[in-house]
Amino acid sequence: MKNYKLLVAILIVLLSISSLLEINAQFVTKTALDNAGYQYEYVENDPMKARIYTLDNGLKVFLRQNRDEPRMQTFIAVKAGSTYDPKETTGLAHYLEHMMFKGSQKIATSDWEKESKYLQELSDLFEKHKATDNPEEKKKIYAIIDSVSQLASKFAVPSEYDKMVSSIGAKGTNAYTSTERTVYINDIPSNEFEKWLKLESERFSSLVLRLFHTELETVYEEFNMYQDEDWSRASEALDAALFKFHPYGTQTVIGKAEHLKNPSMVNIHNYFNTYYVPNNMAVSISGDLDFEPTIQLIDKYFGKMKKGNVPKFNSPVEEPISSPVTVEVLGPNPEFVNVAFRTGGYSTEDRYMTTMVDYILNNSKAGLIDLNLVKSQKVQSAYSSASTMIYYGTHTLGGEPREGQTLEEVKDLLLAQIDKVKKGEFEDWLIQAIINEFKLNRIRMEESNGVAHAFVNVFAHNSNWEDYCSNISKMEKITKQDVIDFANKTYKDNYVVLYKRIGKDESKVKVDKPKITAIEMNRDNSSKFYEDFVKIQPPSLKPVFVSFKDSIGVKKLSNGIELKFIKNHVNNLFSFYFILDMGKMNNLKLPHAVNYLPYLGTDKFTPEDLSKEFYKLGINYGVMSGDDRSYVYISGLEENFEKGIGLLEHLLSNAKPDKEIYEKYVESILKDRANAKIDKGSILWGAMMNYGIYGDMSPFTYRLTEQEMKAIDPKELTDIIKDLTNYKHYGFYYGKDADNAAKLVEKYHKIPTNLKDYPKPLKFNEIAHQKNVVYVVDYDMVQSNILLVTKDRAFDRNILPEARLFSEFYGSGLSSIVFQEIREARGLAYSAFASYTVPAKAADPHLIYGFVGTQPDKIKIATDALVELLNKVPNAEQQYEQSKVGLKKKIETERITKSSIFWSYLSNYDRGIDYDSRKDIYERVDKISLKDFEKFFDERVKGKKFAFLIIADKKNLDYEILSQLGEIKELTLEEIFKY
């Protein structure tokens, strides 16, 4: 008997090894020499054909070729995050990320030798400031810091890095810091690649902490902003309970308040010198590139960096959680509950198993949470999310309660779904359907440059590309019994439950901002590096404008509708839409019916069965209704198009009303409405913004009342669905075979000979403000958010170039005038922008927005600065000209391809334009001088009267100061939500 057991054990081991070899046989890492003599790694059978180089100094370089457009998505990743922050100065990695945009010893300085002396003096002063605990002494030192900063700023050129990346046509310039990485992002034209390398290699060559105290103000604002986000404080509390010893829980990315108040320039420099070294960094690029020239250029610019000695991180070991741990967080936002389990890190099998369990629970279509809790309307909302870091992972379940339901009840329902996994109470086909979804998502990612994100993940997790390529193959080996065994081993009473309840959090921390003097912007100054940089002229690219007529095919179907189509030359995925040019404004009950549909079954399928059938096919389906357009759609694998459209038509024709489901549906809507009234974002960006634009009645408040919803017979809603395609409509197909698609639409889409016209739409008119008004909504928060809004004249296609220039030069982005003045020069806000909008419809007006989030006592100075900018264009000729150059380069490298051609056609059509309107912008932008722009600005922006929409804690507001902005009116939530 013993020998038999031994034999079985050996057989199991051999089978495991055989299985592993089978997995690895498909994807094997190999090395080769390229034509330039550089050695690289590649993975056999990798569909993306990526190459991974390692320079002599240890820098990792991930490259993938994608010829869709002449652009490159770039990431520079550093294994430096909050996990590695010194315990006495948490938040350091994040603050360093901010400072990396301030330039170097060559970038953003007019005289480094003189500037450096003041920066050293400032560093010494900050050390003195940090060393004393005497509040009065700190104030005195900070006053000196402020005065020395003024002297140092005379040699600084604010936002010069941002101006340079903008000048080469970069998009999405940004960065982020997390627990284990800091990543710097740019999407650049491929012909500007060497200029970008020149700039980035200089940026990473030396750290200069210029404009330090104004950026510190910005980080204070960011800290206070997160204090106003309940989800942020809840996430922090959950991590702290899960990780008692590890920095994942003991240190946050933003840092502790006391550490932010006592910054150390010395510590930041030490951190940079330790972690920002090539053997701790990676350059990840996907886009229009040739491998050999690309790696040669990267080596030329980054190969000069010196290796460093990166300290080994000794990860603390967490003690097992032996019984449930309860945490509570109070705040004004809607309540929710999280249940979180601690799992193994990235290198363990837990990564695969947790991911599988996560999708069995919640895949948005046919998971246990999706069907048993969301679709059956047992909770207001619910989800599951797995996250894996290097040393540990987490698996978090979450949900919001329905009216009258407790958080404890939601928690029990969530845990009950885990119990179902442990008992194997999920269908056998589900695992394969999940694998198919992974494959579909992988195919979709291969279409874009999103693979550059995958490169970063591989690098930051100390993994390799073979592991990434083979992870789906590994998951295919997971059996139902494997899942059951893992769930029983992993999910016990070893969880943390967090209750986020509605209430006032007296422990909420605010970082008070010391008094500082705004710095000079020095817009006309520039560094020698900048002057040389802008002189470099790489070969220009010619823009490609879309001919909608040539790119979009049209078929007139036998059933009378028109099918527009674009061929998919890339893969075997399709998307198909029925489109109706009517929405809520035509029929108020239409979106109500559309949103009811996902909860319904038919005479053949239950609601749950329908979700399962679509998920088995790998088909996404849905119906959407906006203000003036509605869509019925499916997408997925081309081979399942017929089954997908057959199932969709069956649902639309046979949706079965259910009174009990409808009553729960109405209850859910009412709960959503109640939640919206206590959600800061919904209050400001929904109710208040619409009140400022339209007044008392708006598209936002145009909705069915509680009484009207309850009076509806649910059959009326299913009749609306069944009647939907009896109205005039058309189709759009993107896929491999338009002829076959047309035949299948004719086969399954049965419609009357004469289609109905749309009901006449309701129109709301925007207010032309004749005087400034100030609307205030009281809310429990640390910051105050101020949104300015007004309208301009009706849509004018002739000003599209000026409108696009406004965004490029003036309104948003790191190098914009508004961002520089309010954030860079004055440190008044983390976020500030202005916008001159292009309306979606030809009949609508252009709108003007301004936004700033700041401290209540800074409202007047912040709004004064914003209003001043909305009344006078600063004299910044050099910056304006570079904005024009950057705008042209963006258009030169933009490529509207694939299904995007149709959506671009539709947006132009809605504005009464039958061609690619970017052509007008490109051809005119050179001719628009700064004086011309000022003329547009004076006619369209200057002198406008605004609605100032302020959401803040009323007790912190100075109404005497607010009255200087305009006539004040306090708004109740009932006034702006209309319920």
Side-chain angles (χ1 to χ4, degrees), residues 89 144 210 503 521 553 560 568 644 933:
T89 47
I144 300 171
R210 63 171 56 89
M521 287 308 294
N568 180 356
F933 181 81

Side-chain angles (χ1 to χ4, degrees), residues 560-562 578-582 630 723-731 749 751-759:
I561 72 166
E562 193 173 75
F578 289 125
I579 303 171
L580 299 89
D581 290 326
M582 72 169 183
S630 300
D723 193 41
L724 203 57
T725 52
N726 290 332
Y727 286 92
K728 291 179 178 177
H729 62 282
Y730 50 100
H749 191 55
I751 55 176
T753 304
N754 296 313
L755 295 173
K756 295 193 287 188
D757 289 325
Y758 305 130

Side-chain angles (χ1 to χ4, degrees), residues 348-368:
T348 69
E349 289 300 309
D350 282 17
R351 169 162 63 108
Y352 303 106
M353 297 304 302
T354 306
T355 300
M356 183 59 76
V357 173
D358 183 51
Y359 272 73
I360 289 170
L361 290 169
N362 175 212
N363 51 58
S364 300
K365 302 172 191 73
L368 297 178

Side-chain angles (χ1 to χ4, degrees), residues 537-555:
Q537 294 297 324
S540 61
L541 298 172
K542 294 203 176 293
V544 176
F545 300 114
V546 178
S547 168
F548 298 130
K549 184 178 179 182
D550 295 335
S551 302
I552 303 172
V554 181
K555 290 179 181 290

Side-chain angles (χ1 to χ4, degrees), residues 524-592:
D524 295 329
N525 283 5
S526 58
S527 66
K528 177 69 166 52
F529 186 94
Y530 175 91
E531 291 165 2
D532 292 339
F533 184 84
V534 295
K535 289 175 185 174
I536 302 170
Q537 294 297 324
S540 61
L541 298 172
K542 294 203 176 293
V544 176
F545 300 114
V546 178
S547 168
F548 298 130
K549 184 178 179 182
D550 295 335
S551 302
I552 303 172
V554 181
K555 290 179 181 290
K556 190 78 172 179
L557 305 186
S558 60
N559 57 14
I561 72 166
E562 193 173 75
L563 178 67
K564 300 180 189 295
F565 65 90
I566 296 172
K567 186 174 177 63
N568 180 356
H569 296 279
V570 180
N571 53 41
N572 290 314
L573 301 183
F574 81 92
S575 55
F576 176 78
Y577 294 79
F578 289 125
I579 303 171
L580 299 89
D581 290 326
M582 72 169 183
K584 182 173 83 168
M585 295 303 160
N586 305 84
N587 180 355
L588 187 55
K589 292 180 180 177
L590 177 55
H592 193 60

Side-chain angles (χ1 to χ4, degrees), residues 239-500:
D239 287 341
L242 284 167
F243 302 102
K244 298 287 188 182
F245 306 106
H246 201 283
Y248 293 158
T250 62
Q251 300 183 181
T252 64
V253 171
I254 193 70
K256 296 179 180 177
E258 60 268 27
H259 296 164
L260 293 178
K261 294 174 187 176
N262 293 285
S264 168
M265 294 171 77
V266 171
N267 282 2
I268 294 177
H269 271 288
N270 290 340
Y271 192 95
F272 175 83
N273 294 335
T274 300
Y275 293 102
Y276 280 60
V277 291
N279 46 313
N280 200 44
M281 295 170 60
V283 176
S284 301
I285 304 174
S286 177
D288 182 23
L289 59 84
D290 292 308
F291 292 110
E292 283 81 1
T294 300
I295 191 60
Q296 285 176 292
L297 284 172
I298 292 172
D299 194 15
K300 174 183 174 182
Y301 287 98
F302 277 91
K304 295 175 284 189
M305 292 180 71
K306 303 295 183 187
K307 269 187 179 182
N309 294 315
V310 182
K312 182 182 177 183
F313 178 72
N314 294 313
S315 176
V317 177
E318 292 290 339
E319 295 175 355
I321 298 172
S322 56
S323 60
V325 176
T326 300
V327 182
E328 290 198 356
V329 169
L330 299 177
N333 283 171
E335 58 186 4
F336 61 84
V337 61
N338 284 148
V339 180
F341 296 85
R342 194 170 65 220
T343 59
Y346 197 83
S347 62
T348 69
E349 289 300 309
D350 282 17
R351 169 162 63 108
Y352 303 106
M353 297 304 302
T354 306
T355 300
M356 183 59 76
V357 173
D358 183 51
Y359 272 73
I360 289 170
L361 290 169
N362 175 212
N363 51 58
S364 300
K365 302 172 191 73
L368 297 178
I369 287 175
D370 305 313
L371 300 180
N372 299 336
L373 301 187
V374 178
K375 204 171 189 77
S376 62
Q377 301 187 93
K378 289 183 180 175
V379 296
Q380 190 68 12
S381 67
Y383 66 90
S384 170
S385 176
S387 176
T388 310
M389 291 81 74
I390 293 175
Y391 303 101
Y392 288 101
T394 59
H395 191 185
T396 304
L397 285 63
E400 293 185 356
R402 294 176 67 84
E403 187 63 38
Q405 189 177 40
T406 68
L407 292 178
E408 287 79 5
E409 288 171 332
V410 177
K411 177 206 72 173
D412 290 342
L413 287 169
L414 291 168
L415 288 173
Q417 307 316 303
I418 288 279
D419 285 340
K420 288 181 181 295
V421 178
K422 292 163 77 171
K423 294 173 183 174
E425 294 177 4
F426 57 93
E427 298 192 59
D428 295 349
W429 57 263
L430 186 55
I431 289 179
Q432 186 55 53
I434 290 168
I435 296 298
N436 292 341
E437 182 176 0
F438 291 159
K439 290 177 179 178
L440 274 170
N441 291 338
R442 182 71 62 88
I443 292 169
R444 291 188 181 107
M445 190 185 71
E446 288 168 9
E447 284 188 287
S448 70
N449 287 328
V451 67
H453 289 282
F455 289 153
V456 170
N457 280 330
V458 164
F459 171 74
H461 285 118
N462 298 326
S463 187
N464 57 69
W465 193 239
E466 180 184 321
D467 175 69
Y468 174 82
C469 291
S470 63
N471 60 15
I472 293 178
S473 298
K474 291 177 182 176
M475 293 196 72
E476 281 187 298
K477 305 300 176 183
I478 296 174
T479 66
K480 183 173 183 178
Q481 191 58 50
D482 292 334
V483 172
I484 294 168
D485 292 344
F486 175 79
N488 280 284
K489 181 185 75 173
T490 305
Y491 302 95
K492 301 177 182 177
D493 284 341
N494 54 343
Y495 58 82
V496 174
V497 57
L498 179 136
Y499 297 112
K500 199 265 109 185

Side-chain angles (χ1 to χ4, degrees), residues 95 98-99 102 118-119 122-123 125-126 129 139 141-154 156 208-221 260-261 263-265 268 511-520 822-829 858:
Y95 190 57
H98 280 242
M99 296 310 300
K102 303 300 181 185
Y118 288 115
L119 295 184
L122 284 170
S123 180
L125 285 166
F126 271 109
H129 178 271
K139 281 184 182 179
I141 296 171
Y142 214 89
I144 300 171
I145 286 172
D146 186 51
S147 63
V148 175
S149 295
Q150 294 303 308
L151 297 173
S153 71
K154 296 182 185 301
V208 173
L209 302 178
R210 63 171 56 89
L211 307 179
F212 186 81
H213 81 319
T214 53
E215 192 63 29
L216 195 58
E217 296 280 290
T218 299
V219 174
Y220 290 166
E221 285 295 348
L260 293 178
K261 294 174 187 176
S264 168
M265 294 171 77
I268 294 177
V511 177
D512 291 316
K513 297 165 60 175
K515 186 177 179 180
I516 68 166
T517 308
I519 61 165
E520 294 180 29
I822 293 178
R823 174 166 159 169
E824 297 284 279
R826 307 187 186 211
L828 290 172
K858 300 286 195 306

